[in-house]
Every structure is written in C-alpha cells, then in structure tokens.
Amino acid sequence: MTEQVNTADGAPNRTSVERRGDRELLVTRTFDAPPSTVYKAWSQPELFQRWWMPKSVPGISLVSCEMDVRTGGKYRLEFGAGDSDTMAFYGKYLEVVPNERIVWTNDEGDEGAITTVTFEGQGGRTLLTFHEIYPSKEALEEALQGSAVALPEQLEQLDELLSSLGG
C-alpha cells in the first residue's frame, strides 16, 4: 500500500508501506525538513507525543511518554481511553546515532519487532526509513492488521508538526 501526499511546492511526499518477505515491514517517507529536525521529533518526548497517536482513533490518547533516547536507554509509552485501563508499550534503545539512526526493541510481548528508523539528508529534506523485523510471520500479519495501518497517518501528522516547527 502506498499513499502520496503533495508538499507545498507540489513535489510528492509519498508514504510507502511495504511488506518484505515473511517477517519485515518497510515504510518510507520524505519530509521537507533537515535530518536534525526530524530526529528531534522522534527523540524528544514533548515533540513525539504531539504526533505519534493517530487522530483518527477516537477516545485514545498518549497519556505518558518517557524516552531516554541513547544507546542502552529505555522508553515507555502509555495509552489510555478515558477512565479505563491504560496499555503500555516499552523497550530499549539498541543503537542511537543522533540525526542518523534509532534502533529499538518492542518488549511488551513475545512477538515484538526490532524497529530501525533512519534519517537520510537529501538537500534540506529527509528520507525517513522505518524498518521492522518481526520474530514470526504471524507477528507481522498482526501488525499489518493493526499498528502498521496507522503509520501513513502518523507520518502525515509528523509532517504537520515539522511544518509548524519551520522545517
């Protein structure tokens, strides 16, 4: 599945979501901002929580966002729906290279992926690559029916945030 979004100058910013084999998911998108700005939006909790939760999902919010974005650091995202119980997603950062790459685990269950996000500069723009490797074919199938469906919307919200920050 591929979604195309045009930028202010008319050039397409396309979110591409692609299955690779039985266990891999690859998502790419170009942003009209330098890698340092895009990296900040992924690594600073106050920015991350402004775009990560898809707005089209009613009644659920990101109620807590703890991120220690460094190699060996940990993260914990807690989502809530009104007064009901919360659901947490957490893991550790395996590799962090500022403005270039973030690699983390998804430790909330046995079927969690290893996620790698890279930020590649392209003349003032950034090619973002979001790559996940799942432990099984079934785990990837579940993601393709759930969380992966929201990625184009999340990256569109990231694009809006980057525009508000002045690229």
Side-chain angles (χ1 to χ4, degrees), residues 20 22-27 52 75 89-95 102-117 130-144 147-148 151:
R20 291 231 169 134
D22 287 342
R23 299 178 29 225
E24 293 184 56
L25 178 67
L26 181 69
V27 180
W52 185 251
Y75 73 91
F89 294 88
Y90 52 90
K92 60 186 167 294
Y93 295 101
L94 300 176
E95 179 186 3
I102 305 172
V103 182
W104 68 86
T105 63
N106 294 276
D107 294 340
E108 60 278 348
D110 294 337
E111 295 293 308
I114 302 291
T115 305
T116 301
V117 176
F130 179 97
H131 180 248
E132 290 190 309
I133 299 177
Y134 290 85
S136 69
K137 179 180 180 178
E138 295 74 24
L140 173 59
E141 291 298 330
E142 184 177 327
L144 288 171
S147 60
L151 283 166

Side-chain angles (χ1 to χ4, degrees), residues 43 45 66-76 93 96:
S43 61
E66 300 170 18
M67 301 167 70
D68 180 11
V69 185
R70 61 180 174 83
T71 300
K74 295 183 179 187
Y75 73 91
R76 181 179 176 87
Y93 295 101
V96 176

Side-chain angles (χ1 to χ4, degrees), residues 56-81:
S56 68
V57 179
I60 297 179
S61 62
L62 180 54
V63 296
S64 174
C65 179
E66 300 170 18
M67 301 167 70
D68 180 11
V69 185
R70 61 180 174 83
T71 300
K74 295 183 179 187
Y75 73 91
R76 181 179 176 87
L77 306 176
E78 203 166 325
F79 296 89

